[in-house]
């Protein structure tokens, strides 16, 4: 997904909030000015982080925040599972919860409000516009062998687990895999986080090999490329995965919340609207 000028400005301003070091900011500006047509926001942030380490050392860890939100959503897991199983369509309701959990994003948002998260979860639902996409998703899962979930944030991954439970119940023949980040980046899910919430009881966990807040196919290890290539159905969670994979020519389902102006204007919806699309 191409980076427009408004998004480039936002990326720069986020780095400016970290430091007023002119040499660092000049390098960030240069990277943005020299960006290629197919460079994406997650890739640019990955480059920024490399420059940041040159000047300041390792970025601050989000380990405490990741654990906080994993624990928060784990504390609600049983209640949410009960709501899912009591609904008319548990699989669709589970997807609605997993999509609402995409709010927990320290990359797109400057502040995470627990009250807003709880409100979004309380109102999680599948919209009429999602039905055709869901029907296509279900039809393809019926004949698929391999399912791949591209995970995004901590906390959200607990709700992804509940979705995988329902998907496995509906399609027990599916081989489930979950692709996570290859290192710490913001509050994105690592292999450690995925195991902490117990998703390895339901799916094989795969690392994308890099601390990058998206999925850039060219950067994936060869064995991971094969997994992506051989996946019959792919569900990509979050804006970062959409930005790095959209319009790449692959058949992918995307589920996320619109959390910034780039997405609200692209899909012509209010902020925090849930999107479920097939590309």
């Amino acid at each position: 997904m191409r980076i427009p000028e408004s998004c480039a400005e936002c990326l720069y301003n986020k780095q400016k909030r970290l430091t007023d070091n002119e040499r660092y900011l000049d390098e960030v500006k240069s990277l943005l000015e020299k960006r290629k047509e197919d460079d994406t926001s997650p890739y640019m942030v990955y480059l920024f982080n490399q420059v940041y380490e040159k000047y300041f050392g390792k970025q601050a860890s989000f380990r405490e925040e990741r654990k906080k939100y994993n624990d928060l959503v784990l504390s609600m897991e049983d209640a949410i599972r009960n709501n899912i199983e009591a609904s008319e369509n548990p699989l669709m309701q589970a997807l609605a919860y997993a999509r609402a959990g995409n709010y927990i994003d320290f990359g797109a948002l400057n502040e995470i409000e627990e009250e807003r998260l709880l409100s979004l979860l309380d109102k999680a639902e599948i919209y009429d516009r999602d039905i055709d996409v869901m029907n296509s998703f279900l039809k393809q899962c019926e004949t698929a062998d391999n399912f791949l979930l591209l995970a995004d944030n901590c906390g959200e991954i607990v709700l992804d687990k509940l979705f995988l439970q329902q998907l496995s119940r509906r399609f027990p023949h599916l081989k489930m895999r979950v692709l996570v980040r290859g290192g710490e980046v913001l509050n994105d899910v690592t292999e450690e986080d995925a195991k902490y919430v117990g998703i390895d009881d339901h799916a094989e966990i795969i690392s994308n090999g890099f601390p990058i807040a998206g999925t850039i196919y060219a950067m994936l290890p060869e064995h991971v490329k094969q997994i992506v290539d051989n996946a019959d159905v792919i569900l990509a969670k979050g804006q970062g995965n959409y930005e790095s994979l959209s319009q790449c020519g692959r058949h992918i389902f995307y589920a996320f919340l619109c959390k910034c102006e780039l997405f609200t204007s692209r899909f012509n919806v209010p902020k925090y609207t849930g999107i479920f699309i097939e590309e």
Side-chain angles (χ1 to χ4, degrees):
M1 182 177 173
R2 184 182 177 279
I3 302 174
E5 285 302 321
S6 61
C7 190
E9 182 179 354
C10 179
L11 287 169
Y12 177 79
N13 287 336
K14 285 185 176 181
Q15 297 306 306
K16 197 172 181 179
R17 284 196 290 270
L18 293 177
T19 177
D20 58 2
N21 184 291
E22 291 185 4
R23 289 186 300 166
Y24 170 70
L25 293 174
D26 284 346
E27 287 202 42
V28 167
K29 184 179 293 184
S30 177
L31 286 169
L32 286 168
E33 290 173 347
K34 295 176 181 177
R35 68 188 186 275
K36 299 175 183 176
E37 186 72 19
D38 58 351
D39 283 341
T40 62
S41 293
Y43 179 64
M44 297 309 299
V45 173
Y46 171 72
L47 296 181
F48 298 164
N49 289 345
Q50 291 181 313
V51 177
Y52 185 96
E53 289 185 11
K54 181 176 72 173
Y55 285 99
F56 311 111
K58 285 284 187 182
Q59 288 260 13
S61 173
F62 278 74
R63 180 178 294 272
E64 290 186 9
E65 288 83 356
R66 300 203 320 270
K67 185 176 186 303
K68 172 184 175 180
Y69 283 97
N70 279 335
D71 287 342
L72 174 63
V73 184
L74 282 170
S75 73
M76 299 185 285
E77 180 180 0
D78 289 342
I80 292 174
R81 182 185 292 107
N82 290 339
N83 289 342
I84 288 171
E85 295 183 351
S87 67
E88 292 183 5
N89 192 319
L91 180 56
M92 292 176 67
Q93 185 59 52
L95 178 64
Y97 275 117
R99 180 172 62 182
N102 186 237
Y103 169 74
I104 310 170
D105 185 345
F106 281 81
L109 301 173
N110 294 324
E111 182 181 6
I112 305 300
E113 303 171 7
E114 288 188 24
E115 287 187 10
R116 185 179 296 277
L117 170 62
L118 296 175
S119 175
L120 288 167
L121 291 175
D122 186 56
K123 295 183 292 187
E125 62 177 329
I126 291 291
Y127 309 121
D128 289 343
R129 64 174 178 271
D130 299 326
I131 299 300
D132 288 344
V133 182
M134 177 57 82
N135 288 338
S136 177
F137 177 82
L138 296 175
K139 183 177 180 180
Q140 291 171 54
C141 286
E142 287 177 359
T143 57
D145 293 317
N146 297 296
F147 174 81
L148 178 63
L149 174 73
L150 308 183
D152 194 17
N153 301 308
C154 285
E156 177 183 358
I157 192 66
V158 180
L159 303 165
D160 293 336
K161 179 180 72 172
L162 295 178
F163 170 72
L164 290 181
Q165 288 176 349
Q166 294 300 323
L167 188 65
S168 180
R169 186 174 298 178
R170 182 82 168 262
F171 304 106
H173 64 281
L174 280 180
K175 167 67 176 178
M176 306 279 194
R177 292 186 174 93
V178 176
L179 187 66
V180 299
R181 312 309 191 209
E184 283 194 57
V185 52
L186 299 171
N187 67 308
D188 286 29
V189 174
T190 65
E191 184 172 356
E192 177 186 0
D193 299 311
K195 288 181 177 178
Y196 180 76
V197 305
I199 208 166
D200 52 325
D201 291 334
H202 307 279
E204 179 184 358
I205 301 171
I206 310 294
S207 166
N208 71 5
F210 288 88
I212 186 165
T215 304
I216 299 176
Y217 182 82
M219 295 178 66
L220 296 175
E222 287 303 316
H223 73 284
V224 179
K225 287 182 180 177
Q226 292 180 15
I227 290 172
V228 173
D229 292 342
N230 293 327
D232 300 305
V233 180
I234 300 174
L235 173 61
K237 296 291 301 300
Q239 290 186 170
N241 282 325
Y242 180 82
E243 288 177 278
S244 52
L245 288 169
S246 175
Q247 303 174 11
C248 70
R250 293 183 176 275
H251 184 188
I252 300 176
F253 291 88
Y254 296 93
F256 52 84
L257 292 188
C258 293
K259 292 163 289 194
C260 66
E261 193 274 334
L262 177 65
F263 278 80
T264 57
S265 60
R266 182 182 182 93
F267 293 98
N268 193 29
V269 295
K271 196 173 184 180
Y272 304 127
T273 297
I275 299 295
F276 183 42
I277 55 175
E278 177 181 10
E279 183 177 87

